[in-house]
Amino acid sequence: MDMPDPRAAVLSKKANLVERLQAVLPADAVIHEAQEVLAYECDALTAYRCPPLAAVLPSSTEEVAAVLRICHEEGVPVVPRGSGTSLAGGALPTADSVILGVARLTEVLETDYDNRFIRVQAGRTNLSVTGAVEADDFFYAPDPSSQLACAIAGNIGMNSGGAHCLKYGVTTNNLLGVTAVMMDGTVVEIGGAHLDAGGLDLLGLICGSEGQLALVTEATLRILRKPEGARPVLMGYNSSEVAGRVVSEIIKAGILPVAIEFMDRPCIRATEDFAGAGYPDCEALLIVEVEGSDAEIDAQLGVILQIARKHDPVAIRESESAEESARIWLGRKSAFGAMGQINDYMCLDGTIPVDKLPEVLRRTAEMAAGYGLEVANVFHAGDGNMHPLILFDANAPGELEKCEALGADILRLCVEVGGCLTGEHGVGVEKRDLMSDQFAPEDMEAQMRVKDVFDSAWLLNPAKVFPLAVSAARRAA
Amino acid sequence: MDMPDPRAAVLSKKANLVERLQAVLPADAVIHEAQEVLAYECDALTAYRCPPLAAVLPSSTEEVAAVLRICHEEGVPVVPRGSGTSLAGGALPTADSVILGVARLTEVLETDYDNRFIRVQAGRTNLSVTGAVEADDFFYAPDPSSQLACAIAGNIGMNSGGAHCLKYGVTTNNLLGVTAVMMDGTVVEIGGAHLDAGGLDLLGLICGSEGQLALVTEATLRILRKPEGARPVLMGYNSSEVAGRVVSEIIKAGILPVAIEFMDRPCIRATEDFAGAGYPDCEALLIVEVEGSDAEIDAQLGVILQIARKHDPVAIRESESAEESARIWLGRKSAFGAMGQINDYMCLDGTIPVDKLPEVLRRTAEMAAGYGLEVANVFHAGDGNMHPLILFDANAPGELEKCEALGADILRLCVEVGGCLTGEHGVGVEKRDLMSDQFAPEDMEAQMRVKDVFDSAWLLNPAKVFPLAVSAARRAA
């Protein structure tokens, strides 16, 4: 008796799928040759790679719906991909999946200054949303570091933040509505053009759901009027603990700066060598930026400087010109690049209560010493979004494993002090096994049951967010 | 053969339930005598009344859990009640239900100024949350008109707003976490003390879910530093359309006042007669309030007055003192009372895009004329939250029915121009039949399936929000 060849079955399944996809999309929108799909084998978490079965690049909501309908009928998992900048493996394919890229969905559909919103296709990059309204003096507030490249679709999936989110909130606070396609191809409108839509807050569910509930094709975003001006002040301290206390006291004083950025000594040194921004030599450096008219800026900086001076600063530098402001920001903006020049590093993304900053910085350093590794810190201090960079040598055997173990310990510490595993990068594949440290089995069950409602066959980005063992029964179904 | 007496069966079921409730609560916390349960037969939507089977007043999360566990086992519906100020019948009992009142859950559990939050039991009144932190110069922003009486639990259920929500957002933008009890008695923690918690945004689902998903017993709320000062300006126009345009232009100029309140002629007249606030005689009056330091206030009012003067105002009155500010607000705050003195009225609560204000005001007046009724308008114009008051004579036969029909037409108009049925009062029983005008059957099905996840037996506030015919199969299950 002949045994069936399992490889032949897979190949024939793929051929059938590609044929069906080609029937609903232009020829160049279906990528299926082995050499070509390699371009989609990973995102910015390059340690994990896996080429997908195929990748599609639809140009409209209707094309997205047609693709999802086919994949739903064929039982093929779909992995949504924005611009592929995820640091958590949010767009990592599985071998049996189709990558659905939104790169061709880039149109501005509507701008409405009276009601302060813009409606765009979800593949548009974050920065080009502001680009579409800045001539009229408006802007879109969330500003992830990757804003030149990252897509609004990915921002919505991960509920992205950025340096400005202390004042303006993260994506969920600036998202008014979406057009989305359910896994079975149904097109739905969720939210609208107001802050408060009717019905259950399904929009809140979509935002931060890491592409597991529906595929967002259009988004209505809140836009804001540009402030008249902004001015940063730089302050250096000889202890991270003291710098942490300064952050707490600024928040407590009721001042809401646009940004409070924090860098520690390893980071300051690396960026000085790299960018020469003229940073002082100290243990901890804060960049605090406030916005408004000159009078407002003066008033806010007055309070901030009073607090800063009480704590025995090594240096305080108030910007007196646009050039000086740019130079103050230069170091911060080069920090990741600078660290990359001198070390391999792993970038974490936990959040903690602001008043726990000193404790977390101290215990992180202790834990790193225990592993014989060094950690550099550069992060959004105002809202407690930490980005510890674990420095290591990728070529030394065993270092990556030590680095991952330390990373897990640091994120567990974030959860222990009342924070959470991810501020803006998402869980993806990177942190799925740590979910059990933050959530009880009942909590994860509740979240998975909500996914059941939207995607009962678990075909949308299925192998993410939850520990594989926890979601196994559903993914097999 | 003896037929069973159905009344006897109900009475014995009630007796058994009361006995079980008395076993887990203090004697005075279980209200079951016919005379006593009458106090719970309605909320502020007094046109609908129905005494419940019993009412309970637990004093802790554990007592709430014990009550829900019993009701779950007995299959008895539970209707949560904050302070009973709902204008939409959110706390209206059904005859077979137990009212679960949170009036004894009033403690402040924690205040944390470093991280800007307060944790309270959910029965605490809105105003007394601010009361707990105002000595330290902080406040809780959402401020429904009923803030002296209404409970945080009800604010969360209805996602309440208030005059300040233009600047500070509604409840969902100021709620960080809750302790809640599921219908089966399981206690869950959702969210935390940060703006951005891990996992799916279940907190967003809870907020505005009208007590249909879980019973909130504790809430962590964002608190803000009090602004240095605030100043209102009053402006009168001879056309609602022009006043609407002024509102649009202020928003478009990028100014975000704390409040933009709108009153039309019928409302201005009634409040002048009642409160003598010195309002000008005109078609439409705006009260615009800005906050900040004197310099910030001057700068913002400068832009606002420039816009205001361009549109040929009948009157502009800038407040020069605290007394004058109080007088400007006096009329607005007395508006509902004043209208009640001269008419019966029905207060609606739809939202619309701000730039649709002139159109909606015009068409509302036309529709009212068609019914031979008058409508007075007093509302939060800045965020498009309309509160048309339909004036009628409750003693004239047929007037209430005409009034309800006009109300439904006005809310349909709100949906038609891109708004929604309810801004801050909720759907409750009042607007459940209109849900079909806003949502397609698939939309309602999605919302009901989410309720299934939290409350599979549909025992929590079951006869609300969805048209009865739409939810019938589930409620019977």
Side-chain angles (χ1 to χ4, degrees), chain B residues 104-148:
Chain B
R104 292 188 184 170
L105 295 165
T106 59
E107 295 294 306
V108 172
L109 302 169
E110 185 182 1
T111 54
D112 183 330
Y113 296 116
D114 285 351
N115 295 300
R116 287 196 295 140
F117 71 78
I118 183 170
R119 200 159 56 86
V120 298
Q121 287 187 307
R124 194 170 180 89
T125 61
N126 175 292
L127 196 59
S128 69
V129 172
T130 289
V133 294
E134 66 183 345
D136 296 303
D137 282 337
F138 279 79
F139 74 109
Y140 175 62
D143 58 342
S145 298
S146 57
Q147 67 178 146
L148 192 66

Side-chain angles (χ1 to χ4, degrees), chain B residues 224-236:
Chain B
L224 302 169
R225 183 79 168 201
K226 268 194 202 162
E228 286 176 59
R231 208 188 304 157
V233 57
L234 180 153
M235 31 187 110

Side-chain angles (χ1 to χ4, degrees), chain B residues 74-273:
Chain B
E74 302 284 342
V76 173
V78 172
V79 175
R81 180 183 170 102
S83 300
T85 56
S86 171
L87 289 162
L92 179 73
T94 48
D96 61 348
S97 71
V98 167
I99 283 278
L100 195 157
V102 293
R104 292 188 184 170
L105 295 165
T106 59
E107 295 294 306
V108 172
L109 302 169
E110 185 182 1
T111 54
D112 183 330
Y113 296 116
D114 285 351
N115 295 300
R116 287 196 295 140
F117 71 78
I118 183 170
R119 200 159 56 86
V120 298
Q121 287 187 307
R124 194 170 180 89
T125 61
N126 175 292
L127 196 59
S128 69
V129 172
T130 289
V133 294
E134 66 183 345
D136 296 303
D137 282 337
F138 279 79
F139 74 109
Y140 175 62
D143 58 342
S145 298
S146 57
Q147 67 178 146
L148 192 66
C150 65
I152 291 297
N155 292 182
I156 294 171
M158 298 314 191
N159 191 15
S160 307
H164 278 66
C165 69
L166 174 57
K167 179 159 183 181
Y168 296 112
V170 292
T171 301
T172 195
N173 307 112
N174 293 276
L175 177 68
L176 300 171
V178 295
T179 299
V181 187
M182 309 289 290
M183 188 63 213
D184 67 1
T186 313
V187 177
V188 293
E189 301 287 338
I190 301 179
H194 314 282
L195 272 181
D196 184 22
L200 280 181
D201 183 8
L202 301 181
L203 184 65
L205 272 188
I206 297 287
C207 191
S209 64
E210 307 204 8
Q212 291 203 310
L213 301 187
L215 211 137
V216 174
T217 57
E218 297 175 14
T220 304
L221 307 168
R222 170 121 302 193
I223 49 175
L224 302 169
R225 183 79 168 201
K226 268 194 202 162
E228 286 176 59
R231 208 188 304 157
V233 57
L234 180 153
M235 31 187 110
Y237 292 93
N238 259 334
S239 137
S240 288
E241 194 151 348
V242 170
R245 211 174 307 135
V246 170
V247 173
S248 264
E249 287 190 18
I250 291 172
I251 301 286
K252 192 171 175 171
I255 305 281
L256 208 55
V258 183
I260 304 184
E261 300 289 305
F262 183 112
M263 293 168 72
D264 67 2
R265 187 186 284 280
C267 211
I268 298 166
R269 279 201 189 139
T271 55
E272 263 312 285
D273 290 347

Side-chain angles (χ1 to χ4, degrees), chain A residues 61 119 122 177-181 187-190 215-220:
Chain A
T61 299
R119 199 158 57 84
V178 296
T179 300
V181 187
V187 177
V188 292
E189 301 286 337
I190 300 180
L215 211 138
V216 173
T217 57
E218 296 176 15
T220 305

